[in-house]
Amino acid sequence: MESEYFLRSTLHVLGEGKNIQTEVDNWPFSIYSKSQGFTKTQMSISFIFGADGVTLNLFDHMGNSISDFPECAGLLKENKPFFSAIKDACYGG
């Protein structure tokens, strides 16, 4: 998996004591639009590889409100225990 190789190579160079956060993009109506399942998978992989957190870029920067995309809030609220469990089990890669 090429992305795993690059992520682990970067983490190795940074050394200990750094706060590592990945970024997940999911902009509706753009080339970055993806299913909620795929967004969940990307977030899960981030924690499996040892990220401390995930920066989310979920909106299209066109002035839309978060209330226009309730599925994003639902994804985060419903899966927080799941993401926390993965992080606790895999912390540090």
Side-chain angles (χ1 to χ4, degrees):
M1 196 166 160
E2 188 174 303
S3 59
E4 178 184 2
Y5 169 77
F6 288 123
L7 178 61
R8 291 192 185 276
S9 297
T10 302
L11 293 176
H12 175 73
V13 172
L14 295 176
E16 298 296 320
K18 303 293 187 258
N19 187 324
I20 307 298
Q21 295 204 2
T22 61
E23 181 178 6
V24 173
D25 292 315
N26 186 357
W27 304 349
F29 316 113
S30 76
I31 61 171
Y32 296 106
S33 181
K34 58 188 77 136
S35 71
Q36 297 303 306
F38 192 71
T39 299
K40 179 181 175 181
T41 299
Q42 285 186 302
M43 293 173 70
S44 300
I45 289 170
S46 295
F47 292 120
I48 289 169
F49 288 156
D52 297 296
V54 178
T55 301
L56 301 172
N57 195 356
L58 301 175
F59 302 101
D60 56 12
H61 306 290
M62 294 177 64
N64 293 319
S65 169
I66 191 168
S67 63
D68 293 337
F69 305 100
E71 62 275 5
C72 291
L75 168 76
L76 301 176
K77 182 178 180 181
E78 295 166 14
N79 289 290
K80 182 170 179 158
F82 174 74
F83 296 135
S84 295
I86 291 175
K87 183 178 183 289
D88 291 344
C90 300
Y91 188 74

